[in-house]
Every structure is written in structure tokens, then in C-alpha cells.
Amino acid sequence: MNLKGKHFLKLLDYTPEEIEYLVNLAAELKAKKKNGERVDVLKGRNVALIFEKTSTRTRCSFEVAAHDLGMGTTYLEPDSSQIGKKESIADTARVLGSMYEGIEYRGYGQAIVEELAKYAGVPVWNGLTNEFHPTQMLADLLTIKEHFGHTKGIKVVYMGDARYNMANSWMVTCAKMGMHLTLCSNKKYFPDPELVKTCKEIAATTGGSITLTEDAVEGTRDKDVVYTDVWVSMGEPDSEWEARIADLTPYKVTKSVMERAGKDAVFMHCLPAYHDLKTEIGKAKGEQFGFEDLEVTDEVFESEQSVVFKEAENRMHTIKAVMAATLGAF
Ligand code: CP
Ligand code: NVA
């Protein structure tokens, strides 16, 4: 498998074999890290990390992974560079591409990261856009593989906002990897029909399936993975909160959802999560709208079935695999 020079912008651009290769490489790199083996095979290289939205996991994963591989990093925080304001994406890409061996981008439209990739001349990695979050998906696949021993045939229910980056990414992932996805949401939050069509066509070739339902009872029955994400994503207006809470509360992950999924089901979440009121925004919104939790109850989040922190750790190992493979280290 040779992924040298390939961008990592969305999983639609990758074959199931390439995705599997990256997940397996991440598992190998994780084992090496646990054994204390060094993998600093990219010494002397440098990568630029552009974040137009905030981050904990993705930023730390890119930084730690780059350092483990022997590389230097430059973090460009939201609003600290000329990008998009005084300098176009095409010009920024050519400047950074002349100094760095790879560029990570987290921000808004998918078109921005695609444009960056077009002009950079070096691999560009998508660290989250409004449409897709592909590095999260590799971490989720690794977590599922570690837990169940395989990914093919796994039944996933995704609950909540089904028209944004995480649900889109889950559709692509399940289609590519022969997994069964149920998107369980209010139909106002169903994904773009064009992407649904594309994913269903791919799923027909891999043995996977994509189902959309508003039925939170039938939709959550007999599943391996119960997944959710925040109801209001980064960059969305504050005014959305009221309608989201009204529309998506029936799709909260509760103990009864987990019971219906089955005792062997796991709970997953890309994080950060509003599972209690111990955050500034959670507390303010909780007081304003009268809730104790949002997309998942604290009981489920803290339960034995929750694998969210293993999932978070796997962000680092999988991002390391993406950089190592596309920079030609393995
Ligand atoms: N899951 C995820 O992307 O987390 P961050 O926003 O902290 O990077
Ligand atoms: N949908 C969320 C994902 C965060 C990892 C957001 O875009 O804010």
C-alpha cells in the first residue's frame, strides 16, 4: 500500500483497503508507543497545523503524533494568521507548501480544505470541516476493531444531528467498510439526499447499509455501537439552541436506549460532550433551557458501556498513521 503524497480530505477519496490499512497501521504504531519503541522516522520534517475552529483532541493528536514521528509543528490558531482575511487559500497553500512537508486544516467549508490541497503541493489533512471529520472516523474504526475484533457487519446507530460532519462521515464510513448505519433523528436533521444516495450506492457494493428513521425506539434496537455528537456544532449560531433542544431531545442517548441496543453495545462520542453541567456553555444553556444534560445522560457517559476515552486516545494513533503513510514513512 503506497499512500505517499495522497491528501486526506474525506473518506470518499479512499478505498476500503486503504482505510483498513490506515487503521491497522495505527494499531501497530499504538503497540510500538506502548512498548516504548521510537518511530521518529520523519526527523527534520515540519508540518503546519491550521485551526480556524477550536480543538483539544485534534490539535493535541497532530502535535504529539508529529513529535513522536520526529517532526516539528507550527500551530496557527483561530484568527492569528492572514488566512482568508488578507490572503487567499490558494496563496496560503503555496506559501505553507514551500515551507512544510504537510498541512492540517480545521475550519469551515469542505471547499476550503479541497482548495488548500489543490495548491499546496504537499499532503493536506482534514482536521474537521462542516461536512466531514475523517480523522475522527479512523479513530472510531480503530476503537470498534479493538472492542469487537472487526468492523465489517457492525451495526451502528447515530442519534441526533444527522446533517453535519459526524453523521456525514459515518454514512461514508459504513458504506465503505460494509457496516450497517441507522441515522436516528428528526427528519428536519436528515442529511443531504445526494450524499445519502452516493453512500447507499457504495454500501450496495460492500454489504453495508444506510437507514434513516425518526423512530428512536425501533431505530436503536439491537445495535453494536450507539453514537452521538453535540446538537449545535462549532460555528453555528447561538440562536439554534432552542430549536435543537426541542427537536432533538427525543434522540438523547439514555439508559433505555443502551438497554434496547443490547448489553454488549458500546457508547461512543467524538467529544466534547454535554453530559452534565460542568462546562461554561453547558451550565449557561442548562439554566436557560432547564436541562441537566443534552445529547447523552451522565449515567450513560460514565457507564461501563462507554468507550469515549479510548476513542479519544485513538485520535492520536490514527492521525500518526495518516501523517506517516501520506509522508511516505511506511
Ligand atoms: N473530536 C474532536 O475533534 O475533538 P476536538 O474538537 O477537541 O479536536
Ligand atoms: N459536530 C461537531 C464535532 C466536534 C468534534 C462540531 O463540528 O462542532
Side-chain angles (χ1 to χ4, degrees), residues 51 54-59 106 127-128 133 136 234 270-272 315:
F51 281 80
T54 52
S55 167
T56 298
R57 276 146 293 273
T58 310
R59 176 191 176 175
R106 161 171 289 200
L128 177 145
H133 196 5
Q136 179 71 50
M234 288 183 277
C270 51
L271 304 182
R315 297 297 310 287

Side-chain angles (χ1 to χ4, degrees), residues 289-301:
F289 298 109
F291 61 76
E292 294 293 317
D293 44 45
L294 276 179
E295 69 273 12
V296 57
T297 63
D298 196 47
E299 187 181 24
V300 170
F301 187 89

Side-chain angles (χ1 to χ4, degrees), residues 15 36 63 74 118 165 197 260:
T15 65
E63 292 207 8
T74 302
K118 188 169 161 196
N165 42 26
K197 185 168 170 278
R260 258 195 315 277

Side-chain angles (χ1 to χ4, degrees), residues 70-308:
M71 299 194 287
T73 56
T74 302
Y75 172 64
L76 294 154
E77 64 191 297
D79 297 324
S80 75
S81 70
Q82 317 285 22
I83 300 168
K85 293 176 281 289
K86 283 174 67 182
E87 194 157 34
S88 69
I89 296 300
D91 291 357
T92 303
R94 286 173 285 182
V95 171
L96 296 180
S98 72
M99 297 181 196
Y100 295 91
E101 274 79 21
I103 303 168
E104 179 277 353
Y105 174 84
R106 161 171 289 200
Y108 296 87
Q110 181 71 14
I112 301 172
V113 78
E114 302 272 351
E115 172 98 344
L116 203 52
K118 188 169 161 196
Y119 290 98
V122 297
V124 171
W125 309 299
N126 178 357
L128 177 145
T129 58
N130 295 347
E131 291 88 343
F132 294 112
H133 196 5
T135 61
Q136 179 71 50
M137 298 321 302
L138 293 184
D140 294 347
L141 286 174
L142 177 59
T143 310
I144 289 170
K145 196 163 183 183
E146 286 174 341
H147 191 87
F148 295 100
H150 62 101
T151 54
K152 197 169 171 67
I154 289 288
K155 291 173 281 182
V156 180
V157 59
Y158 176 97
M159 302 192 72
D161 179 6
R163 34 104 263 165
Y164 220 64
N165 42 26
M166 285 310 306
N168 288 345
S169 300
W170 265 113
M171 279 202 295
V172 176
T173 300
C174 287
K176 291 264 176 182
M177 305 313 284
M179 298 163 74
H180 302 288
L181 177 68
T182 303
L183 289 175
C184 194
S185 185
N186 181 311
K187 64 174 179 303
K188 284 194 236 169
Y189 301 85
F190 278 2
D192 172 16
E194 271 304 304
L195 184 62
V196 176
K197 185 168 170 278
T198 302
C199 291
K200 283 189 172 179
E201 282 166 9
I202 299 169
T205 69
T206 63
S209 63
I210 314 284
T211 307
L212 274 62
T213 182
E214 286 195 289
D215 187 339
V217 174
E218 286 312 310
T220 52
R221 209 179 288 289
D222 182 26
K223 295 288 180 286
D224 300 305
V225 176
V226 179
Y227 203 102
T228 192
D229 180 19
V230 292
W231 291 343
V232 180
S233 286
M234 288 183 277
E236 293 201 285
D238 207 46
S239 55
E240 291 290 338
W241 277 87
E242 191 166 2
R244 296 287 165 88
I245 291 168
D247 295 335
L248 297 177
T249 294
Y251 303 95
K252 183 194 293 275
V253 180
T254 60
K255 189 164 174 249
S256 58
V257 166
M258 294 308 296
E259 280 168 0
R260 258 195 315 277
K263 64 175 177 20
D264 297 327
V266 294
F267 170 71
M268 297 178 71
H269 191 309
C270 51
L271 304 182
Y274 291 114
H275 59 95
D276 58 24
L277 301 186
K278 293 178 189 156
T279 63
E280 209 178 291
I281 296 175
K283 185 168 181 295
K285 298 298 176 194
E287 282 166 9
Q288 187 181 351
F289 298 109
F291 61 76
E292 294 293 317
D293 44 45
L294 276 179
E295 69 273 12
V296 57
T297 63
D298 196 47
E299 187 181 24
V300 170
F301 187 89
E302 297 293 354
S303 70
E304 289 287 311
Q305 284 171 287
S306 172
V307 295
V308 295

